[in-house]
Amino acid sequence: KRDYFGFSSIVDKESTFLSNNIKSSVGFEYLSQLDLRSRHDNIQGERGPLVYKKDERYRSFGLFFYNTLKFKNRHFFNFAIRYDLNLIDFEDYVIKGNRDSRKYHSFSPSTGLKFEMLKDFQLFLNFSQNFETPTLYELGNDPQNINGEGINDNLEPQNSFSSEIGLERKLNNAQKIKGSFFQTNTRGEIIPFELPEVPGRTFYRNSGKTSKKGYELEIMGSLINELNYSLIYTSSDFQFKDYKIDDENLKGNLLPLISRNHFYLELEKTDLFGINFSISTLIKSKFYADDRNKQMIPGYKKVNFTFSKNLESSKYNFLIKLNIDNVLADQFYDNIRTNAWGGRYFEPAYGRYFLLGLQLWY
């Protein structure tokens, strides 16, 4: 059972300084979520005794300021800062009087620059600091007390510093080329894992430090006869820099579930004999399913088709859409369990998949 509510307020102001445009925003938000989570023992597929029942409450109060300065020569500068106060409470109904709470404070600044170097060419730089608290579910599963007593006191928030530099050339909405290099250094990355005592149940721990760096290339444009294309390629090198498990240092190992190479291509043709058509191809290289990099998941490709057609009458408009996913019926693994116990990493993806939709408006 979940109850959720929140409210926010934002004030925007636009002004000029030395003929340069300034837009500023200041505001606050309050969010509250209350989960009543229950868990029973699983006895050969039958519901067993109640072992966990808690009210899990998450409240967040945030203050933020955002400012953008647009110069006459089409340069941009932006700066933002946010303060968050997060309050987390657990009240146990199985163990009467058992309560736990957490309080987190965080400041998250960010800044960015964009320079008009040549005609239609822009150089951009972005820097940010990020703070991510553990979720209610992550805190509520303590690997030291698998019976549900207490919370995971060893789990802490993760803090990241990100930077990005790149070039972009944009001629119009349909033509763009963009390349960027990125790096994120994280302290306390939250990593899922399983225990042999309770297979299928996920627990969480912090790694020491991780480094995520790579580059991305994005190209959009048009070929002959208004055939639009979009191409995205990402090369990633995500590594543990300081991470010990049972006195074993995993420094240099790759983070699980992240492919080193990720390629996406989409071709789209509008009004081909009255039908809109697109074909997309996704290719991922191999990746690991565990922190120790002993279980490798093979790479795969997936090709999807989409057809749509508009039908109009004096009163109604129809849109008929057909999606064919995994057209080539390639076999691959999906929904991988990270650090699963007993080799239970794998779940097969669906084969060829059809979806027919009809939309009507008047």
Side-chain angles (χ1 to χ4, degrees):
K1 180 183 176 181
R2 171 170 294 169
D3 296 319
Y4 176 85
F5 74 93
F7 57 89
S8 64
S9 179
I10 302 174
V11 177
D12 294 327
K13 180 177 176 56
E14 295 186 12
S15 59
T16 58
F17 176 73
L18 298 178
S19 299
N20 299 309
N21 295 324
I22 301 174
K23 183 177 180 179
S24 301
S25 300
V26 63
F28 73 91
E29 67 177 7
Y30 176 79
L31 304 173
S32 177
Q33 177 177 312
L34 175 63
D35 291 351
L36 175 59
R37 192 186 308 274
S38 301
R39 184 162 56 240
H40 295 255
D41 277 339
N42 185 344
I43 303 176
Q44 297 183 355
E46 298 294 331
R47 175 180 288 187
L50 179 71
V51 295
Y52 184 97
K53 185 178 181 181
K54 289 183 181 180
D55 271 336
E56 303 175 348
R57 182 184 297 274
Y58 193 110
R59 290 170 292 167
S60 173
F61 177 76
L63 295 170
F64 52 88
F65 170 77
Y66 182 80
N67 186 80
T68 300
L69 176 59
K70 181 179 180 181
F71 297 93
K72 291 184 296 184
N73 50 10
R74 300 179 67 183
H75 299 331
F76 291 86
F77 169 76
N78 64 70
F79 171 79
I81 188 167
R82 180 185 175 97
Y83 167 77
D84 282 286
L85 170 63
N86 300 286
L87 303 173
I88 301 176
D89 299 285
F90 293 82
E91 183 176 355
D92 203 321
Y93 289 99
V94 176
I95 305 173
K96 301 296 184 180
N98 183 16
R99 295 185 177 183
D100 295 280
S101 62
R102 288 282 189 94
K103 180 188 293 187
Y104 300 118
H105 301 269
S106 63
F107 284 94
S108 304
S110 64
T111 187
L113 299 169
K114 185 177 286 188
F115 301 95
E116 187 84 16
M117 298 179 61
L118 301 172
K119 181 177 175 57
D120 299 320
F121 268 98
Q122 293 180 326
L123 170 70
F124 59 88
L125 299 155
N126 294 303
F127 304 93
S128 64
Q129 182 173 317
N130 304 298
F131 175 90
E132 183 176 335
T133 67
T135 66
L136 292 172
Y137 182 81
E138 292 167 352
L139 282 173
N141 284 278
D142 185 5
Q144 305 299 322
N145 296 284
I146 60 175
N147 60 354
E149 181 179 353
I151 64 174
N152 190 353
D153 287 324
N154 295 319
L155 191 64
E156 297 294 335
Q158 65 181 45
N159 294 271
S160 302
F161 179 80
S162 302
S163 57
E164 180 187 26
I165 182 172
L167 284 170
E168 179 178 1
R169 187 188 185 198
K170 189 173 182 180
L171 299 179
N172 51 51
N173 292 332
Q175 292 185 323
K176 179 178 73 172
I177 180 169
K178 179 181 178 181
S180 63
F181 293 89
F182 61 87
Q183 179 163 355
T184 299
N185 296 320
T186 302
R187 179 180 301 170
E189 184 99 23
I190 297 176
I191 305 292
F193 68 99
E194 291 186 1
L195 293 174
E197 297 87 348
V198 279
R201 183 171 155 196
T202 305
F203 299 89
Y204 299 85
R205 61 192 171 208
N206 295 108
S207 69
K209 297 178 182 178
T210 60
S211 173
K212 306 171 187 176
K213 58 184 177 181
Y215 60 88
E216 184 173 85
L217 176 65
E218 179 181 359
I219 303 175
M220 298 174 57
S222 298
L223 300 174
I224 58 174
N225 297 326
E226 297 183 351
L227 177 64
N228 299 323
Y229 67 89
S230 176
L231 183 150
I232 301 175
Y233 171 73
T234 304
S235 174
S236 303
D237 182 16
F238 290 14
Q239 297 185 14
F240 293 111
K241 291 301 181 182
D242 180 18
Y243 185 24
K244 292 183 179 180
I245 302 178
D246 301 330
D247 297 325
E248 180 184 1
N249 197 333
L250 303 185
K251 180 180 180 180
N253 282 18
L254 299 178
L255 269 69
L257 305 190
I258 306 297
S259 300
R260 279 188 173 270
N261 298 288
H262 184 284
F263 175 86
Y264 178 81
L265 174 64
E266 181 177 10
L267 298 175
E268 181 182 24
K269 182 70 173 73
T270 58
D271 197 17
L272 180 64
F273 304 109
I275 298 176
N276 300 325
F277 169 75
S278 71
I279 177 172
S280 64
T281 301
L282 171 67
I283 302 175
K284 282 189 175 184
S285 63
K286 64 182 181 180
F287 55 91
Y288 292 102
D290 62 321
D291 298 340
R292 290 183 169 89
N293 289 178
K294 293 183 179 180
Q295 183 60 63
M296 188 267 291
I297 308 297
Y300 65 90
K301 71 177 184 298
K302 186 171 69 168
V303 179
N304 299 332
F305 286 176
T306 300
F307 304 88
S308 64
K309 182 175 178 59
N310 287 309
L311 301 174
E312 299 181 358
S313 67
S314 58
K315 293 184 178 180
Y316 304 101
N317 291 328
F318 296 88
L319 175 65
I320 301 175
K321 191 172 185 180
L322 173 65
N323 291 341
I324 308 176
D325 287 359
N326 195 11
V327 173
L328 303 180
D330 288 339
Q331 295 183 352
F332 58 94
Y333 296 113
D334 197 9
N335 192 27
I336 307 300
R337 289 178 176 269
T338 308
N339 296 314
W341 178 82
R344 300 172 62 255
Y345 304 98
F346 307 99
E347 182 174 318
Y350 55 78
R352 188 179 294 113
Y353 181 80
F354 296 86
L355 177 65
L356 180 64
L358 174 64
Q359 184 176 353
L360 166 68
W361 67 95
Y362 55 90

